[in-house]
Amino acid sequence: MNFLFARAPSIRIAPTATARRSISHSVSVSKALPFYLNTLRSAEQNDGKVLRMLMFGKPGAGKGTLSARLVKKYDILSLSTGDLLRQHIAERTEVGRQAEEIVAQGSLLPDDVMLKVVASKLELLNNRHWILDGFPRTLGQGKLLDAHLQNQNAPLSLVVNLDVADNVILSRISDRWVHLPSGRVYNMSYNRPKVDGFDDETGEPLTRRPDDNPEIFSRRLKQFYDSTSPLLAYYASPVNKLARLITLQGETSDEIWPQLDAVVRRSFPGVRERVSSISQRRYSLSDPFAMEQEKRAIKRGAASDGPNPSKFLN
Ligand code: AP5
Ligand code: MG
C-alpha cells in the first residue's frame, strides 16, 4: 500500500500560453474544480464528525455540479480526478500524455496510475471535510482508498450515489459546455452562461469535452456499469462498517440538491457554512488567476488557517 504515498507528478499552476491553446483545442473539463483551498480549520475542531464523502454516479449524473454546490456553500475541500487528469493533459505532464487518448476514448486509466495521481492529494485531506468526485472508480481503487484511510484512522463517512436515468444524462451531455482553467460547467438548457459560448467570470471561450459525443459517452456508460457500479455493492456490504450509503434520485438539481444539503446539515452539523466574503474566494489547482491571488495571500500571511497552498505552487 505504500505506493499510495508516492509523490504525484508536480503540477504547474499557471498554464503557459501554449498550454492554454491546447486546452481550448484539445482538452476538456468538467464541473467540479480539482481542489478548493480555503480557510477551513481542522474538522476535528468542530464536533468530531468529519465529512469524508464519495460522490458516486454515472458519467454526467451531476457529481461535479453537486460537489461544486456543496463546496460553495460549506467549508469543504473537493477533489475531482477527471479535472485533475484534464489538467495533466493540458500541461503535457507524463501522466497527461498517457491519459489524453484514454480519456478521449472514454476508457479508464489503470489503477496504479490513478493512485499516483491522487496520492499526494489524499494526504492533504487529513483533518478536513472533503468530497472525492470520480475516485474510486474500480473495486481495486476502492479497496486501496479504504486501506489508506484506515491507516490515517479517517474512514469514509458518507457515500452518495446519484441515480439518474441514462436517457436524462444523454440529453444533458449534449448541452454541456466547459471552461477548462476554472473547471466551471455550463449547460445550455439548465445553467446557461450569461453570454453564449463564454465563461461568466473571465469572458474566456467555453469548449466541449472531447469525450462528450454520443459514441464515446456510451462507452463511458458501459465502463461505469462494468467497472464502477460493483463498488456500490462493496459500499453496501458489511465490509463498509462506517460510511453511510445513500442514493439520491431526481432529474433536476432542484430535486436532488435539497436532499443532499439536508443530509450534510443533519448528519454533519460541524460542517460550517462559508461566510459570504469567503464564498467568493475560489482556489483551484486549475485556475491560475485564483492561484496568483492565493500566492499573494500567503505572502501576506492571510492563508495560515487552512491547508498550505504553497505545497501546490511548484
Ligand atoms: P470525469 O471527469 O470524472 O467524468 P465522468 O465521471 O464521466 O463524469 P462527468 O464529469 O462527465 O459528469 P458529472 O457527474 O461530473 O456531471 P456534471 O456535473 O458535469 O472523468 C473523465 C475521464 O477521466 C473518465 O472517463 C476516465 O477516462 C478518467 N478518469 C477519471 N477518474 C478516473 C479514475 N478514478 N480511474 C480511472 N480513470 C479515471 O453534469 C453533467 C451535465 O449535466 C452538465 O451539463 C450539468 O450542467 C448538467 N446537470 C448536472 N446536474 C443537473 C441537474 N440536476 N439537472 C439538469 N442538468 C444537470
Ligand atoms: Mg465531472
Side-chain angles (χ1 to χ4, degrees), residues 9-277:
S10 72
I11 294 178
R12 289 185 304 107
I13 297 306
T16 59
T18 316
R20 272 175 177 273
R21 267 196 302 279
S22 73
I23 288 166
S24 327
H25 291 127
S26 66
V27 187
S28 55
V29 73
S30 76
K31 174 73 193 159
L33 300 175
F35 251 112
Y36 288 88
L37 306 179
N38 53 47
T39 54
L40 181 77
R41 289 173 203 279
S42 160
E44 249 84 32
Q45 288 172 7
N46 292 315
D47 70 341
K49 202 160 182 209
V50 182
L51 179 74
R52 301 187 196 95
M53 167 179 159
L54 301 188
M55 188 69 91
F56 190 89
K58 293 169 194 165
K63 303 182 292 293
T65 300
L66 289 163
S67 298
R69 282 184 87 156
L70 281 177
V71 167
K72 189 170 178 193
K73 179 166 182 186
Y74 298 104
D75 269 341
I76 298 173
L77 295 174
S78 85
L79 171 62
S80 154
T81 45
D83 287 351
L84 216 44
L85 287 174
R86 282 181 283 278
Q87 190 62 34
H88 274 278
I89 293 169
E91 303 202 346
R92 312 296 305 160
T93 66
E94 196 186 326
V95 167
R97 287 196 297 274
Q98 193 179 346
E100 185 162 20
E101 182 68 18
I102 297 175
V103 171
Q105 291 306 312
S107 305
L108 296 183
L109 274 94
D111 287 355
D112 60 334
V113 175
M114 285 315 300
L115 289 167
K116 263 204 290 183
V117 170
V118 300
S120 65
K121 312 295 176 212
L122 291 178
E123 290 176 50
L124 297 168
L125 300 176
N126 279 345
N127 293 325
R128 309 285 171 200
H129 300 290
W130 51 254
I131 305 168
L132 292 183
D133 159 4
F135 184 88
R137 206 180 284 237
T138 64
L139 207 45
Q141 292 177 15
K143 289 180 178 172
L144 285 162
L145 175 66
D146 270 1
H148 170 79
L149 295 176
Q150 249 162 38
N151 249 342
Q152 308 281 317
N153 202 19
L156 284 176
S157 48
L158 182 64
V159 178
V160 172
N161 173 35
L162 301 177
D163 187 9
V164 184
D166 292 7
N167 61 330
V168 173
I169 291 176
L170 276 167
S171 66
R172 287 181 186 176
I173 287 301
S174 54
D175 277 348
R176 174 161 66 180
W177 285 83
V178 293
H179 177 245
L180 179 71
S182 67
R184 278 182 284 277
V185 170
Y186 298 89
N187 189 288
M188 296 314 284
S189 45
Y190 155 74
N191 174 29
R192 233 184 154 95
K194 287 176 192 149
V195 179
D196 284 0
F198 296 92
D199 179 47
D200 286 354
E201 294 188 26
T202 63
E204 289 168 352
L206 302 177
T207 55
R208 303 295 313 271
R209 277 174 49 169
D211 55 348
D212 268 356
N213 61 69
E215 185 201 339
I216 300 298
F217 194 77
S218 59
R219 217 176 288 163
R220 287 162 58 200
L221 260 183
K222 183 172 181 321
Q223 279 284 358
F224 173 84
Y225 286 116
D226 290 350
S227 309
T228 309
S229 60
L231 268 169
L232 267 187
Y234 175 69
Y235 289 119
S237 77
V239 173
N240 165 31
K241 295 188 193 75
L242 298 170
R244 183 174 163 206
L245 169 63
I246 58 164
T247 293
L248 301 181
Q249 282 174 323
E251 290 193 7
T252 70
S253 286
D254 290 344
E255 289 166 22
I256 294 183
W257 167 247
Q259 302 175 54
L260 179 61
D261 193 30
V263 169
V264 169
R265 262 188 293 113
R266 284 188 206 133
S267 306
F268 301 91
V271 177
R272 294 177 310 166
E273 277 193 42
R274 294 177 187 277
V275 295
S276 56
S277 61

